[in-house]
Amino acid sequence: MLSNHLKDYAEKKYGERLPYLKAAGCIPEEELWSCTPDEAVLMKFFYGTMPLRDAGEYEFGTFLSFVKHALWLRENKDWCAALPEDIFVNHVLYYRINSEDISENRSFFYEQIKNLLPEAGCGSDRLRETVLAINYWCAENAAYQASDMRTASPMTVYRSGKGRCGEESTFAVTAFRSAGIPARQVYTPRWAHCDDNHAWVEVWLNGKWYFLGACEPEEILNKGWFSHASSRALLVHCRNFSDFTGEMAEECIGKEGVTYFYNNTSTYARTKKLTVTVRDREGKPAKGAEVSFEILNMAEYCSVATLRTDEKGEVSLTMGLGDIHIRAMLDGWFGEALVSAADQVEILLDTDIAGMDWLTDIWMPEEVKAPEDYPVNPGTVTSEQKQKKREKLAAANRLREERIQAFYNEEKAEKYPEEKELLQLAAGNFDELYRFLEKDANPDRKALLHSLSQKDYKDAKAEVLEDALIYAGEVRGTWEEDTYRNYLLYPRIYYEELTPYRAFIRGYFTDGQKEGFIKDPESIWRYIEQNIGYEPEFDYETICASPVGCLKLRQGNPLSRKILFAAISRTLGIPARLNRVTQEAEYLGSDGFRVPGKQQEAESGKAAGRKAGLTLQAEDGGKWIYFQTWTIGKLEGMRFATLDYEGLRFDGKECRLELEAGIYRLITTARMPNGNQHASQRIFAVKEGEEKEIFVSLREGSIEDMLVRNEIPEFEVTNGAGERQKTGDILKGADGVICFLEEGAEPTEHVLNELMERAGDWNAMTDSGVRLVFIVRDKEALSNKTVSRTLEKIPAVTVVYDPEGESAEPVARRMYVDPEKLPLLAVTRAGMTGIYASSGYNVGSVDLMLKILSLQENR
């Protein structure tokens, strides 16, 4: 069944890994003998291509379950049997999709969806219908919910019914692969036009990839709310864990560890091929230079692709038609440029990273333009298809909520009133948390549960929590309560998978080693540096090894080793943490938290002992939101690493940061509704013990900067007579303001009050032909006092109804504002051309709309 080409590839890759597997005692030779010949080939393919940490984390049988299921599909499903071999092994067989925890899940998913699958010999249309049906099944079992960066497994998403886009897409890909339908996660690592990213799914049908929104079903393929957004992407790509490719190989845009990245941008957006030529100080081609392509997003330059120059000193990347920051580096020298709408750019490595002359310590303004909206994948849907989707999605939502609610046992939860909410959030993990609570009356059980994140409630195992409780309890009373709970009892260190590591660590080290670690916590870090290796070539940096996996495999990436340090320390009763700002491992010493390895350097004069202080001064501290209007990054090697001050707020007009001595980059940005940004950056050094002040200001835009031209899709509402009416017929080609309201909610109340304060101006606007439209759920909204008073003061308002509450989201998505916040206000020009929108309450938004409409009238 398998080609010699694949057999040779698997054997070669497996052979390259054997020395590392042997060193870790993870050689699967004995198990391989019990496999069939085809199973053995695919298991070697796995062990030869997987992130090395997976070999130390999961059992042989877990991987074998994926192999057996894939081979069964290949033998029994004709659409799977007909697949090209590279498509089969990369996009049906492969066990890993993203950074999810791995478990035996393919057979489970297959059992859930097997009734949706067609009979043998089905045509292409039937298989296309199957793909759409499976995505409706996904919607029945998972819906979007924002959460932290850890990727929940498909089984966790199924049990909880919730997931962010990266988890929904991992879930959907799992479902498709379980049916023998090739699928992959596709994503834009950062949007260019807004501060976010997104992931979705592509499926392989009839020799071609088609896209769809994961758990966001449509009646046709190549359709999703992100269709317009993706037309503005600078980069869309997918990852493979092997370079086993066939005749239709796609543009590979680099390799990081075991992951290969392939460029999908031209499917979604208008593109250009940008060639970067890097030259050294003498003007010669710089072979082997590292070229980082960076998107300004969340007020940081985020590297989305890194390539190495060839003999000519060149790299090329197919990308969208917007501005991108490029940083080239080689042997301690660098050069950079903001590139706009160019096919070629030359960068000179003319700056010595070790010098000081490039630290200007002045603000350098930059104008960063986002790609323009363009209908690359319009995806026309009929009214009948829209109605069918509404009905099927409503049914899917009901089924999902009923299934998830059934996990919650009200009678049991009543026993723990303070924990009822988290038990409800646990959904399918209810019994696991309840079992932990029930074991005894130890008050630390509740404290430990309340320390977890919402996502942890969905998949934390009782054995993990018990492991933390038992070994932390041995040093209870030795430390202050807050220290004990935060840095000893609580099991989470960063965003790693929660695992029961403490019992293993206690048994792993000798009594002498443990005594030495307790006396000198610095020796823990020395042990890790001496005994835990790191092979970047076999790493997948998005995931980290568990403490147990790290010790078993004797391998771990930098983050894994820091987590291991904190895990060993906590196990031995030494308070430890991962600093959320710097992501450094720290332990509690007599003078506060220390970074292991740094203390000796400070004492020997090799590193700064005292922190530096940076105070930021602003006219209005309320405008400064970290990861939105500003960030600060520290130079680490050749690149700036953004510090994580998320949630930090200015105290009035100032904000003070405590920093290590070093070189820093401040970035400020004001993003306009059209996606463009008025940015500034400032690079400076701070010395040990120095107190430095910097004034920050945002470069505000003009009204013209606020305007866009986005065609809003036609949608239907119900008028006062109970008839369905198109919004275009209501606007009648005039300028207008469409207001989606949530009566009684505070943000809507504010907007209505602002409308009433300027009632005279709005009446003048409506007299001149401007249409003001209120969209509410039903007629009951009119009984709200603020709504009724607004209608009295501005009588020309047209009130219509959206009982399903489904119309606001596509309008918000089309205008690139938050679809989850009401009120939604959209200013339109000559009918359904959106020129400005805001969601939620923004002070002055009503006045701004008046100015925009006045500007349009005067043109």
Side-chain angles (χ1 to χ4, degrees):
M1 181 185 291
L2 304 178
S3 71
N4 288 331
H5 176 46
L6 177 58
K7 293 175 184 177
D8 292 343
Y9 179 91
E11 199 67 48
K12 177 177 178 292
K13 289 290 186 179
Y14 180 66
E16 292 171 354
R17 292 291 184 88
L18 262 181
Y20 302 96
L21 296 173
K22 286 180 180 178
C26 296
I27 313 172
E29 295 290 341
E30 190 173 320
E31 290 94 336
L32 283 171
W33 282 111
S34 65
C35 293
T36 67
D38 283 349
E39 289 172 353
V41 170
L42 297 184
M43 287 299 290
K44 287 182 177 180
F45 176 80
F46 274 173
Y47 276 97
T49 60
M50 67 172 60
L52 185 57
R53 63 77 81 180
D54 284 0
E57 298 290 340
Y58 307 112
E59 299 296 328
F60 183 90
T62 299
F63 301 122
L64 186 59
S65 72
F66 289 86
V67 167
K68 286 180 176 293
H69 186 75
L71 287 172
W72 181 85
L73 290 168
R74 191 78 159 162
E75 293 171 359
N76 292 278
K77 302 298 178 184
D78 54 357
W79 60 85
C80 187
L83 294 172
E85 195 171 50
D86 63 310
I87 297 295
F88 167 70
V89 296
N90 288 316
H91 306 299
V92 172
L93 163 74
Y94 216 85
Y95 70 94
R96 179 170 288 289
I97 298 160
N98 193 328
S99 55
E100 73 278 13
D101 186 35
I102 305 301
S103 62
E104 299 181 25
N105 58 41
R106 293 289 164 82
S107 295
F108 174 85
F109 274 78
Y110 178 82
E111 287 299 316
Q112 309 308 308
I113 64 174
K114 63 183 181 182
N115 292 335
L116 302 175
L117 303 183
E119 299 296 328
C122 70
S124 59
D125 289 343
R126 181 68 185 89
L127 199 56
R128 185 185 297 247
E129 291 171 6
T130 300
V131 167
L132 298 175
I134 290 174
N135 206 23
Y136 272 108
W137 176 87
C138 290
E140 288 176 7
N141 291 282
Y144 179 80
Q145 183 180 63
S147 62
D148 63 44
M149 62 190 286
R150 178 169 70 87
T151 301
S153 72
M155 292 304 301
T156 294
V157 172
Y158 178 82
R159 286 191 291 262
S160 66
K162 302 289 185 183
R164 54 176 170 76
C165 64
E167 294 163 335
E168 285 183 301
S169 50
T170 300
F171 177 82
V173 168
T174 298
F176 288 120
R177 289 186 182 181
S178 76
I181 298 171
R184 64 188 183 185
Q185 184 186 62
V186 177
Y187 60 104
T188 176
R190 295 288 178 98
W191 293 119
H193 65 275
C194 68
D195 293 333
D196 204 353
N197 58 9
H198 191 55
W200 56 93
V201 171
E202 286 185 350
V203 294
W204 176 272
L205 292 173
N206 308 315
K208 183 180 177 181
W209 289 105
Y210 294 83
F211 70 83
L212 61 156
C215 310
E216 298 169 341
E218 297 282 352
E219 288 296 302
I220 62 173
L221 293 174
N222 286 357
K223 171 71 174 176
W225 67 260
F226 54 87
S227 298
H228 285 287
S230 62
S231 78
R232 308 185 70 184
L234 280 170
L235 183 67
V236 176
H237 62 132
C238 65
R239 70 172 72 81
N240 279 8
F241 292 94
S242 86
D243 60 349
F244 184 78
T245 56
E247 296 179 359
M248 300 182 65
E250 297 170 294
E251 178 191 358
C252 183
I253 55 172
K255 178 180 184 287
E256 291 181 7
V258 297
T259 49
Y260 297 82
F261 295 94
Y262 293 90
N263 197 340
N264 309 93
T265 315
S266 59
T267 300
Y268 300 94
R270 295 181 295 172
T271 60
K272 63 186 175 186
K273 187 173 184 179
L274 174 62
T275 298
V276 181
T277 302
V278 183
R279 299 189 182 279
D280 62 21
R281 300 183 307 287
E282 298 176 355
K284 297 177 181 179
K287 178 186 175 183
E290 191 175 86
V291 180
S292 174
F293 294 82
E294 302 171 346
I295 296 175
L296 182 60
N297 182 287
M298 296 174 63
E300 67 170 347
Y301 279 114
C302 175
S303 180
V304 296
T306 300
L307 304 178
R308 292 275 182 180
T309 55
D310 59 17
E311 297 279 351
K312 298 178 182 178
E314 293 181 352
V315 296
S316 295
L317 180 68
T318 301
M319 52 174 285
L321 307 182
D323 292 355
I324 192 156
H325 187 264
I326 298 176
R327 185 178 179 89
M329 300 154 280
L330 181 66
D331 297 335
W333 292 79
F334 76 94
E336 54 190 349
L338 183 66
V339 180
S340 178
D343 297 318
Q344 295 185 339
V345 64
E346 187 172 288
I347 295 182
L348 182 64
L349 300 175
D350 59 355
T351 306
D352 181 3
I353 197 78
M356 299 295 287
D357 55 334
W358 61 285
L359 304 177
T360 57
D361 201 5
I362 60 173
W363 286 109
M364 303 293 290
E366 291 181 320
E367 300 296 324
V368 183
K369 294 181 180 178
E372 294 181 357
D373 186 288
Y374 190 81
V376 175
N377 293 293
T380 304
V381 182
T382 66
S383 298
E384 292 76 13
Q385 287 172 325
K386 289 179 181 178
Q387 180 60 29
K388 185 183 290 188
K389 172 192 169 181
R390 279 195 293 268
E391 293 171 356
K392 290 163 73 173
L393 198 54
N397 291 338
R398 285 195 300 272
L399 287 170
R400 184 184 63 254
E401 292 305 317
E402 288 170 4
R403 182 177 68 85
I404 299 306
Q405 282 300 318
F407 289 120
Y408 180 67
N409 188 316
E410 179 71 33
E411 184 178 348
K412 287 184 176 180
E414 285 292 341
K415 187 174 179 181
Y416 300 98
E418 294 178 355
E419 287 67 49
K420 284 181 70 174
E421 183 179 355
L422 64 85
L423 286 169
Q424 193 151 26
L425 290 169
N429 204 41
F430 179 97
D431 289 340
E432 200 75 22
L433 299 191
Y434 188 79
R435 181 158 60 90
F436 174 71
L437 278 171
E438 278 284 277
K439 188 163 186 181
D440 58 43
N442 186 338
D444 281 346
R445 293 186 181 277
K446 294 182 178 181
L448 194 155
L449 275 187
H450 283 281
S451 78
L452 302 178
S453 69
Q454 286 195 17
K455 186 176 289 183
D456 290 336
Y457 297 140
K458 299 170 185 177
D459 60 7
K461 300 302 179 187
E463 63 170 334
V464 173
L465 307 180
E466 201 69 42
D467 179 73
L469 185 77
I470 290 171
Y471 291 101
E474 293 181 2
V475 293
R476 189 178 233 307
T478 307
W479 304 91
E480 292 182 1
E481 186 68 13
D482 284 350
T483 299
Y484 166 73
R485 289 192 174 188
N486 290 321
Y487 309 119
L488 288 166
L489 172 66
Y490 296 161
R492 176 157 300 291
I493 296 169
Y494 190 56
Y495 290 111
E496 75 281 8
E497 296 290 339
L498 292 183
T499 55
Y501 59 78
R502 302 193 196 206
F504 179 88
I505 288 174
R506 284 287 191 94
Y508 185 85
F509 294 106
T510 66
D511 290 342
Q513 284 177 311
K514 288 182 285 190
E515 289 174 7
F517 289 162
I518 293 170
K519 289 179 181 177
D520 178 20
E522 294 280 341
S523 65
I524 301 174
W525 187 249
R526 291 195 295 272
Y527 174 89
I528 291 172
E529 288 188 313
Q530 293 165 9
N531 293 277
I532 306 301
Y534 177 45
E535 295 296 331
E537 183 184 353
F538 300 145
D539 187 30
Y540 174 32
E541 65 176 18
T542 307
I543 53 177
C544 56
S546 70
V548 172
C550 227
L551 292 171
K552 280 184 176 179
L553 200 61
R554 301 179 75 82
Q555 287 281 329
N557 62 24
L559 180 58
S560 302
R561 301 204 292 179
K562 293 172 184 177
I563 291 171
L564 176 61
F565 173 85
I568 294 173
S569 298
R570 290 187 184 184
T571 299
L572 301 179
I574 305 164
R577 69 185 185 187
L578 204 70
N579 186 303
R580 287 303 174 97
V581 174
T582 64
Q583 293 189 11
E584 292 281 6
E586 296 178 339
Y587 69 95
L588 187 61
S590 58
D591 56 349
F593 278 97
R594 300 175 176 178
V595 178
K598 294 285 182 73
Q599 189 67 17
Q600 288 90 340
E601 292 177 4
E603 291 169 356
S604 63
K606 295 180 181 178
R610 290 183 296 149
K611 298 277 189 179
L614 172 64
T615 300
L616 303 179
Q617 301 281 356
E619 288 184 1
D620 180 3
K623 294 181 179 180
W624 295 93
I625 302 171
Y626 205 76
F627 285 133
Q628 182 176 322
T629 55
W630 74 287
T631 60
I632 184 170
K634 186 175 187 288
L635 185 67
E636 302 285 355
M638 294 291 289
R639 301 195 194 203
F640 285 96
T642 303
L643 302 179
D644 188 354
Y645 282 109
E646 186 172 10
L648 180 70
R649 293 288 183 265
F650 272 60
D651 183 8
K653 295 184 177 182
E654 68 176 38
C655 177
R656 187 182 184 281
L657 308 177
E658 191 175 82
L659 305 172
E660 293 181 340
I663 296 171
Y664 291 86
R665 178 177 67 185
L666 268 173
I667 295 177
T668 68
T669 181
R671 191 183 287 278
M672 300 298 102
N674 61 10
N676 296 343
Q677 298 178 77
H678 299 315
S680 293
Q681 64 171 311
R682 182 168 180 160
I683 300 173
F684 57 93
V686 291
K687 300 176 182 178
E688 174 189 348
E690 179 182 1
E691 287 293 332
K692 185 177 181 65
E693 288 190 4
I694 294 179
F695 182 79
V696 293
S697 64
L698 288 176
R699 299 168 57 213
E700 305 289 352
S702 64
I703 288 182
E704 286 78 4
D705 288 330
M706 300 287 175
L707 304 184
V708 297
R709 288 189 63 83
N710 297 336
E711 294 301 321
I712 297 174
E714 188 76 80
F715 61 94
E716 290 187 347
V717 290
T718 302
N719 63 24
E723 303 165 334
R724 298 294 285 176
Q725 190 173 13
K726 293 182 177 180
T727 44
D729 294 337
I730 297 171
L731 294 172
K732 297 179 180 178
D735 293 352
V737 182
I738 302 173
C739 307
F740 291 88
L741 305 177
E742 186 180 17
E743 73 280 359
E746 186 174 347
T748 292
E749 293 284 310
H750 283 303
V751 165
L752 292 175
N753 285 327
E754 284 193 14
L755 282 167
M756 285 189 283
E757 288 173 8
R758 301 292 299 273
D761 296 310
W762 283 105
N763 286 326
M765 280 289 175
T766 57
D767 288 344
S768 69
V770 172
R771 308 283 291 179
L772 186 56
V773 182
F774 284 4
I775 301 179
V776 293
R777 278 295 184 100
D778 48 41
K779 291 186 178 181
E780 188 176 336
L782 304 183
S783 62
N784 175 270
K785 290 183 180 180
T786 313
V787 173
S788 61
R789 278 174 30 230
T790 304
L791 296 177
E792 288 174 8
K793 293 196 172 190
I794 313 174
V797 172
T798 300
V799 180
V800 293
Y801 308 99
D802 179 26
E804 295 85 10
E806 296 175 349
S807 299
E809 180 174 357
V811 174
R813 298 285 191 192
R814 190 67 189 90
M815 295 301 293
Y816 304 109
V817 295
D818 192 335
E820 297 182 4
K821 292 181 180 178
L822 292 181
L824 168 62
L825 312 176
V827 181
T828 63
R829 172 73 172 159
M832 295 294 286
T833 301
I835 59 173
Y836 173 78
S838 70
S839 61
Y841 174 61
N842 302 285
V843 177
S845 59
V846 171
D847 286 346
L848 179 58
M849 288 190 299
L850 278 170
K851 291 177 182 177
I852 290 170
L853 289 166
S854 298
L855 184 67
Q856 298 301 304
E857 280 194 339
N858 294 330
R859 286 184 172 178

